[in-house]
């Protein structure tokens, strides 16, 4: 039986400047790699969290999977069918099985359309005919916990949590097999974040949905994800089951992210690993390992010369093969 989703050696490039402008600014051929050599697999009913700082390429990867962006290289297979290279007409049937929750819960909704019209839109786009659309809208609103009286409301009349529930209803409309959730708790109060995550877990149990959760917030996915993929400057540096990554992170970048998670214990003395500097620009990435300039472990000469690869260090666990990770990652 094929994996539900299989991404292999995916590469996404964007043009910066053309011709003379690129040469003048020493940007080689005027292209940047937003996603480079990314590979992972997902199974039915699984939640995978894609974690990294802003600019790491997480959202670009999600948009490539749903077909909003087209990769230059690599493979995206959905239930064994190759999606890369398909035209819009051929891609459209597969897009029905891949729902999307966009980052801003309010801005992702049309300000001039009612809640009812927002939920109906996926049916109209895909020319999907239900016998009773009124009942279908009421069913979806009930599933996500919205009262029927909200049907006629507009986005500006909704709270952030209510707008997010409308977004979840839209993503569920065509009964997808996987939902890509881009920062599903962004801009929400902590209590509302918990409500949204509980809603997503309940829907997963009810409908056997898989989630690819894109986030920079590790605490949000700690108790909701089965697997975690850590992304840095367009590349995956560590992929494994959630418990192993939280208990014993191996890549220095993962260690720094985990060490920054607040612990609700006044007696706890955190062992913070502070990263110096900012994420390098993808326009002029550092040579060799992109993380070397910020690595708290003393980088070797090899780190600045060789671009590391993601290798399987044990069944189901993948780690960058740079010297710092292999020698110090398990400590």
């Amino acid at each position: 039986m094929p994996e539900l989703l299989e991404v292999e050696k995916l590469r996404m490039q964007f043009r910066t400047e053309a011709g003379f402008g690129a040469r003048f600014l020493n940007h080689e051929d005027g292209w940047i790699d937003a996603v480079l050599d990314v590979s992972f697999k997902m199974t039915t009913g699984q939640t995978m969290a894609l974690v990294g700082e802003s600019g790491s390429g997480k959202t670009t990867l999600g948009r490539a999977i749903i077909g909003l962006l087209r990769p230059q290289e690599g493979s995206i297979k959905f239930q064994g069918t190759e999606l890369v290279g398909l035209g819009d007409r051929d891609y459209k049937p597969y897009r029905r099985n891949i729902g999307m929750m966009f980052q801003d819960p309010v801005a992702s909704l049309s300000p001039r359309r009612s809640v009812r019209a927002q939920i109906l839109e996926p049916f109209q786009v895909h020319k999907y005919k239900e016998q009773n659309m009124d009942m279908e809208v009421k069913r979806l609103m009930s599933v996500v916990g919205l009262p029927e009286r909200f049907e006629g409301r507009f986005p500006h009349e909704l709270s952030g949590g209510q707008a997010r529930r409308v977004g979840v209803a839209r993503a569920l409309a065509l009964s997808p097999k996987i939902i890509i959730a881009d920062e599903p708790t962004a801009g929400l109060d902590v209590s509302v974040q918990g409500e949204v995550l509980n809603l997503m877990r309940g829907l997963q149990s009810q409908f056997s949905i898989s989630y690819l959760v894109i986030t920079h917030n590790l605490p949000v996915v700690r108790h909701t994800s089965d697997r975690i993929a850590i992304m840095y400057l367009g590349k995956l540096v560590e992929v494994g089951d959630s418990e192993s990554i939280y208990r014993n992170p191996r890549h220095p970048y993962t260690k720094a992210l985990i060490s920054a998670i607040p612990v609700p214990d006044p007696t706890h003395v955190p062992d913070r690993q502070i990263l110096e500097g900012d994420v390098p620009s993808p326009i002029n990435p550092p040579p060799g390992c992109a993380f070397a300039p910020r690595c708290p472990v003393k980088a070797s000469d090899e780190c600045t010369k060789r671009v590391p690869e993601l290798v399987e260090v044990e069944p189901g666990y993948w780690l960058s093969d740079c010297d710092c990770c292999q020698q110090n990652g398990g400590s």
Side-chain angles (χ1 to χ4, degrees):
M1 184 176 178
E3 305 285 351
L4 176 65
L5 179 67
E6 186 173 0
V7 176
E8 186 173 0
K9 296 189 178 300
L10 201 71
R11 185 179 192 181
M12 287 290 308
Q13 291 183 307
F14 296 104
R15 180 172 287 282
T16 52
E17 304 85 15
F20 175 77
R23 291 192 294 272
F24 179 76
L25 294 173
N26 195 29
H27 290 171
E28 297 185 0
D29 59 358
W31 292 84
I32 63 170
D33 286 310
V35 174
L36 181 60
D37 199 29
V38 167
S39 301
F40 65 90
K41 298 177 181 180
M42 289 184 62
T43 58
T44 299
Q46 185 182 70
T47 296
M48 172 172 276
L50 187 61
V51 179
E53 293 170 284
S54 296
S56 62
K58 309 183 302 295
T59 295
T60 298
L61 177 57
R63 289 173 181 262
I65 292 171
I66 203 171
L68 297 178
L69 298 172
R70 298 303 173 93
Q72 279 73 22
E73 297 177 12
S75 169
I76 302 173
K77 291 182 179 178
F78 182 78
Q79 292 186 318
T81 299
E82 180 61 66
L83 301 184
V84 173
L86 293 181
D88 288 338
R89 185 174 180 178
D90 294 327
Y91 209 115
K92 194 171 182 179
Y94 296 98
R95 209 176 265 137
R96 297 176 188 174
N97 287 309
I98 307 175
M100 186 83 189
M101 291 167 54
F102 293 97
Q103 183 169 344
D104 190 318
V106 177
S108 62
L109 303 177
S110 171
R112 295 193 272 288
R113 307 192 77 180
S114 67
V115 168
R116 182 180 188 279
Q118 310 270 4
I119 295 174
L120 282 176
E121 187 175 16
F123 296 105
Q124 296 164 348
V125 169
H126 290 275
K127 297 180 172 57
Y128 193 93
K129 295 182 179 179
E130 280 282 336
Q131 290 184 344
N132 191 327
M133 297 308 296
D134 288 333
M135 289 299 296
E136 187 64 13
V137 169
K138 287 179 171 56
R139 182 188 72 84
L140 287 167
M141 291 182 65
S142 175
V143 164
V144 300
L146 285 173
E148 287 186 18
R149 67 178 184 274
F150 278 42
E151 273 194 56
R153 291 193 180 184
F154 289 83
H156 70 274
E157 300 175 295
L158 304 175
S159 68
Q162 291 164 350
R164 174 55 76 204
R165 289 175 187 268
V166 174
V168 174
R170 281 167 52 91
L172 280 174
L174 301 177
S175 301
K177 292 181 171 60
I178 182 171
I179 291 178
I180 299 173
D182 190 359
E183 299 285 2
T185 60
L188 303 179
D189 293 339
V190 175
S191 60
V192 181
Q193 289 181 15
E195 292 176 4
V196 170
L197 293 175
N198 288 335
L199 171 64
M200 291 173 63
R201 280 199 299 267
L203 295 174
Q204 183 174 47
S205 175
Q206 185 175 356
F207 299 111
S208 297
I209 303 170
S210 298
Y211 290 113
L212 177 62
V213 179
I214 298 170
T215 184
H216 68 279
N217 193 345
L218 268 170
V220 163
V221 296
R222 180 163 195 170
H223 302 294
T224 59
S225 59
D226 302 301
R227 291 180 64 76
I228 294 176
I230 306 294
M231 197 168 188
Y232 187 81
L233 207 65
K235 292 177 67 72
L236 296 183
V237 297
E238 188 166 5
V239 182
D241 67 277
S242 299
E243 181 62 27
S244 296
I245 284 184
Y246 276 101
R247 186 180 66 251
N248 182 30
R250 305 186 187 188
H251 193 281
Y253 180 56
T254 312
K255 288 185 175 184
L257 293 178
I258 298 241
S259 73
I261 297 175
V263 177
D265 180 358
T267 64
H268 175 74
V269 180
D271 181 19
R272 295 280 171 84
Q273 294 194 20
I274 307 299
L275 298 179
E276 296 183 358
D278 298 319
V279 179
S281 169
I283 296 177
N284 287 311
C289 176
F291 187 65
R294 303 177 73 197
C295 186
V297 180
K298 187 176 180 180
S300 66
D301 291 339
E302 183 70 16
C303 291
T304 60
K305 296 177 181 177
R306 185 180 69 87
V307 178
E309 297 181 1
L310 199 68
V311 297
E312 192 171 19
V313 293
E314 60 185 60
Y317 204 105
W318 298 74
L319 183 67
S320 172
D321 69 347
C322 65
D323 288 346
C324 295
C325 297
Q326 298 299 320
Q327 295 176 17
N328 302 286
S331 61

